[in-house]
Amino acid sequence: MADRTTGRYVGSAFITLNRELRERLWERVQQHAGTAPKGMKRPATQWVRPGLIGRVKHLRGEEGLRHASLQDFWEEPG
């Protein structure tokens, strides 16, 4: 996950969606596949170009995501 305003990586989130939404998400991920940001070394991660927005539940008060779970997602308009 990245901050929408800065594009800075803030952490990852568990996918806690039902089967239908998970399949829809995977389809979007494949359509928007991208390359890792410079200096980022996470070989098992599927990077996605900007354009997918997610609603994430996480612990407050942290700079990055902590114990985060993806609740919903949509494509950025435009």
Side-chain angles (χ1 to χ4, degrees):
M1 300 283 176
D3 183 284
R4 284 181 66 188
T5 56
T6 65
R8 185 178 71 82
Y9 176 77
V10 292
S12 60
F14 290 102
I15 309 287
T16 58
L17 305 171
N18 64 38
R19 182 182 178 133
E20 179 185 336
L21 286 175
R22 262 194 332 267
E23 289 173 358
R24 210 175 98 218
L25 174 61
W26 182 242
E27 182 181 314
R28 298 307 188 292
V29 165
Q30 290 175 323
Q31 291 171 356
H32 294 275
T35 57
K38 265 193 168 166
M40 192 59 70
K41 295 180 173 132
R42 292 181 179 261
T45 302
Q46 173 66 55
W47 294 96
V48 180
R49 292 186 319 263
L52 286 178
I53 299 171
R55 183 171 52 88
V56 177
K57 183 178 178 181
H58 62 92
L59 294 178
R60 294 183 190 189
E62 299 290 328
E63 187 174 317
L65 294 180
R66 185 165 174 215
H67 298 284
S69 60
L70 181 66
Q71 304 291 302
D72 193 12
F73 72 95
W74 58 94
E75 291 189 52
E76 191 168 41

